[in-house]
Amino acid sequence: MTHSTYTEQAPPSFNLNTLITFANAPFKDEQALAQAELDTHLETQAEAVAPTKDPLTSRDRRIIGEIIQVEPESVRTIWLEGGITLWVQFVEGGRLPFDRDWFATRVAQVKATLPETPRERNERLSDELEKACTVFGLYHGEVNWLSFSTKLYQDGHFVGFIGCNQESWYARPRQYGVNRVAGSAKDVIALLGVRAAVAA
């Protein structure tokens, strides 16, 4: 009886002990690589010179997404053309036209029913706090975003604590003590006995 044995052999081009370096790596399209590198460099430089600021907030995108029934992240921007047509541009390309007056009416309706996210609330409270601090010549420490509270300082001296809970703004001159409550950051800072900064 004849018995056959088969063995696999490596192709003749295979060499187990050869180290592949950049010099003998497979050829790549150098022109395409150079162009991609140049494009990346130009994009980086353009962003450094004139950083693009997104004109739409996350809340704006949520409102637009609700109106036209798309994911908020898919909305790139909007613009008004000829004072009549509002265009919505999408991230993946494409755009939709809407009557300006109809769209404005829908925005008002959706705004009235769309709940504020915690992030939007913090952004709103932070803006109000910054404006109030400017009026009184104060600055604040790092904000605790979960409880929205921080310390206030004036000319390097501690003034008090300020924060906002679900009901209203509150402040107190010491770590422990009675909260003074008011409807706005400006009003509650005034309750700490701080006077508004006088413009020179």
Side-chain angles (χ1 to χ4, degrees):
M1 172 178 229
T2 308
H3 178 28
S4 301
T5 304
Y6 296 97
T7 58
E8 288 189 31
Q9 294 183 350
S13 63
F14 178 77
N15 189 344
L16 180 64
N17 296 322
T18 301
L19 181 64
I20 295 178
T21 62
F22 184 74
N24 61 4
F27 175 74
K28 302 232 184 210
D29 184 1
E30 292 179 18
Q31 179 64 33
L33 289 173
Q35 185 64 47
E37 184 178 337
L38 176 63
D39 292 342
T40 303
H41 177 70
L42 290 174
E43 186 176 306
T44 303
Q45 293 298 315
E47 185 67 24
V49 171
T52 55
K53 186 173 187 304
D54 193 351
L56 297 176
T57 65
S58 61
R59 184 167 177 81
D60 294 337
R61 283 193 170 78
R62 284 180 54 214
I63 291 168
I64 294 166
E66 182 77 20
I67 292 169
I68 62 176
Q69 299 177 351
V70 298
E71 291 297 319
E73 299 80 30
S74 69
V75 176
R76 174 173 282 160
T77 191
I78 62 173
W79 72 92
L80 192 60
E81 183 178 59
I84 299 170
T85 306
L86 181 119
W87 288 90
V88 177
Q89 175 76 41
F90 296 102
V91 172
E92 297 294 324
R95 58 183 72 119
L96 290 174
F98 296 94
D99 176 70
R100 179 195 66 177
D101 296 332
W102 176 86
F103 202 84
T105 302
R106 288 291 294 135
V107 166
Q109 291 169 347
V110 171
K111 267 187 179 181
T113 60
L114 195 64
E116 186 177 49
T117 66
R119 179 179 179 167
E120 291 166 348
R121 176 185 181 269
N122 282 344
E123 288 172 356
R124 178 179 54 80
L125 295 175
S126 180
D127 289 345
E128 184 176 347
L129 177 61
E130 293 299 328
K131 289 175 185 170
C133 283
T134 301
V135 168
F136 291 96
L138 301 173
Y139 62 94
H140 59 81
E142 189 173 330
V143 174
N144 178 338
W145 296 105
L146 291 176
S147 63
F148 200 87
S149 60
T150 188
K151 296 177 181 178
L152 295 176
Y153 299 93
Q154 185 175 45
D155 300 325
H157 300 294
F158 175 74
V159 173
F161 294 90
I162 187 170
C164 189
N165 56 28
Q166 297 300 328
E167 291 87 40
S168 60
W169 283 92
Y170 63 89
R172 61 183 178 275
R174 292 174 297 288
Q175 171 110 19
Y176 303 104
V178 179
N179 285 344
R180 296 177 176 133
V181 180
S184 70
K186 185 177 174 184
D187 293 342
V188 84
I189 290 173
L191 292 176
L192 286 173
V194 180
R195 295 183 182 188
V198 178

